[in-house]
């Protein structure tokens, strides 16, 4: 079960790279994407999952575990703040279009 969390984190990281590649391919073709896909959210969550679980599974020392857990928490909070900022920007741009 624990390794599945690491695998899911790796899949999220690969998914974020796929989003980025897809967006760049659309731009190269000259097509302006309607909404920009923010690939940073799955990247941060995936890295947080990998960093949070891997040291535990490998039997790392207590100091490494504390550092990895702290880094995982920072990545998760950063992703959450990014989503909130993105939602606020969308809500702000929607209000300006309506009379």
């Amino acid at each position: 079960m624990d390794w599945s969390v690491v695998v899911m984190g790796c899949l999220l990281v690969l998914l974020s790279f796929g989003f980025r590649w897809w967006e760049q391919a659309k731009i190269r073709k000259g097509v302006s994407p309607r909404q920009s896909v923010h690939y940073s959210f799955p990247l941060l969550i995936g890295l947080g999952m990998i960093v949070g679980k891997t040291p535990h599974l490998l039997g790392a020392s207590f100091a490494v575990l504390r550092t990895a857990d702290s880094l995982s928490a920072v990545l998760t909070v950063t992703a959450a703040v990014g989503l909130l900022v993105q939602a606020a920007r969308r809500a702000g741009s929607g209000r300006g279009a309506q009379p």
Side-chain angles (χ1 to χ4, degrees):
M1 179 67 179
D2 290 333
W3 282 106
S4 65
V5 173
V6 175
V7 170
M8 189 180 305
C10 291
L11 289 175
L12 282 171
V13 169
L14 290 174
L15 180 70
S16 71
F17 288 143
F19 283 154
R20 175 72 175 157
W21 175 80
W22 184 263
E23 188 175 87
Q24 291 299 317
K26 280 185 173 181
I27 291 171
R28 268 189 247 121
K29 288 182 180 179
V31 177
S32 178
R34 287 185 292 171
Q35 289 182 346
S36 177
V37 177
H38 293 281
Y39 52 89
S40 59
F41 177 70
L43 178 67
L44 292 172
I45 294 297
L47 287 176
M49 292 169 75
I50 293 168
V51 169
K53 269 302 188 193
T54 305
H56 293 279
L57 295 172
L58 298 178
S61 67
F62 180 74
V64 172
L65 292 177
R66 285 296 260 186
T67 305
D69 287 342
S70 299
L71 181 59
S72 177
V74 166
L75 289 170
T76 304
V77 168
T78 303
V81 167
L83 279 178
L84 290 174
V85 168
Q86 179 183 358
R89 284 185 183 167
R90 284 187 183 170
S93 66
R95 271 189 246 141
Q98 296 176 356

